[in-house]
Amino acid sequence: MNTSFASFGLAPELLRGLDEKGYIEPTPIQREAIPAGLAGRDVVGAAQTGTGKTAAFLLPILQRLKHGRQGTLRALVLVPTRELADQVFHSALSYGKYSRLEAVAVYGGVSLEKQTRALKDRVDIVIATPGRLLDHMGRGHIDCSDIEVLVLDEADRMLDMGFSHDVNRILGVLPIEHQTLLFSATISDQVDRLARRALKDHAAVEVGGRAAAAKGVEHLLVAVDRLQKRHALVRLLGELPERGRALVFTRTKHGADRLTRQLRSDGVRVAALHGGKAQSLRTRALDGFREGRIRTLVATDVAARGIHIDDVVMVVNYDVPVDPEIYVHRVGRTARAGAQGVALTLMSPDEWLLMYDVEKLMGMTFHRDVMPGLEPAVAPLQPLGRHAPARRSGPSLRPRRGGARRR
Ligand code: AMP
């Protein structure tokens, strides 16, 4: 079943913020954690960064804070590092852009003064590292007596970094009645003990980790000059099995639009999906793809996060992603639920180094293929230490064994 953010009953101003971010559908963790959070339940979420966990806890909080006394500190998010504090703070600003709520980030390594001033003003949410928060509490800059929601984000890291004592002290000054949302990449014994102490009758939510692609994915690499990518893609799409669908990723919205136009002029039925399109157009594109009327969808990464489509037999990386983690995320769109799928990357010579990063992250080396008639001007380098000749037959969409090797 496909869920939309609107079906959670989120306020229109929050939906507007999400729409501006380009989010189309909730990610798996959001699908499960948001309803529980909105219902006021405690939640333990086993989820890593990259799964969309920040919105999973911030959206229920922002929705709750709309009602009641605004300008009073009612939500506290504890995070292990200042980088994460900053990231969560910026997420709160963008999701809550139209909500008139005030968020303040509080972390060490910078002067107390600016944070103190911000805390004396109107504030609804504080996002803090434990040590600096205690520092401010000790100085009387923060009043926790109205806290309604506590988030423990990346709890495992927080405990690993030795914040257990600090977290306990903070728990001790919160009102007895409050909601707790705990997120952790792993639920270690230590995290479990913390959850037992801090939470009551919680909903447990779990989603798979991200740094592993599904087992049924075959990774194929095709070396091709940038200007030939379009022709290579048309040829590959011509090989799609009946009723099979292909999801093609580009790095930018502009790139997605351009490729969509080019494919149309090459006679391919295709739709584009990215955050720059009006919601109605995105829904139409997604429905057409889901229902099989359109079998090729060109998308940017932000648009593809969280969408669930069965029968995607091929994911094409039209651009090699700059962040190798994105590769894992993209190829996770195929071979879902034990099915087989092909992840095919069109790699131009300027992208060879980016591809090495992907291989390093995955712990695999991929064979470099070329397509007859579309060979790049420069022969592709084989993975370091491997010198398998590129097959001249061109890639096949039929999954085969041995396309990728574990390092
Ligand atoms: P997080 O796991 O919260 O750090 O989120 C990882 C990335 O996913 C961030 O760049 C978010 O902006 C993005 N993101 C989160 N939820 C969604 C969604 N429903 N649709 C698209 N992107 C999302």
Side-chain angles (χ1 to χ4, degrees), residues 5 21-27 30 48-56 84 87 91 95 301-306:
F5 282 108
K21 289 282 285 177
Y23 295 3
I24 293 167
E25 291 191 344
T27 64
Q30 291 163 2
Q48 305 189 347
T49 310
T51 51
K53 67 181 169 62
T54 316
L84 190 58
Q87 205 175 302
S91 297
Y95 301 142
D301 293 301
V302 74
R305 222 175 257 274

Side-chain angles (χ1 to χ4, degrees), residues 16-33:
R16 191 168 161 208
L18 294 172
D19 194 46
E20 264 184 32
K21 289 282 285 177
Y23 295 3
I24 293 167
E25 291 191 344
T27 64
I29 189 94
Q30 291 163 2
R31 260 202 297 277
E32 295 191 41

Side-chain angles (χ1 to χ4, degrees), residues 329-345:
H329 183 75
R330 287 180 178 179
V331 307
R333 310 284 107 196
T334 184
R336 299 183 81 86
Q340 297 265 300
V342 173
L344 199 143
T345 303

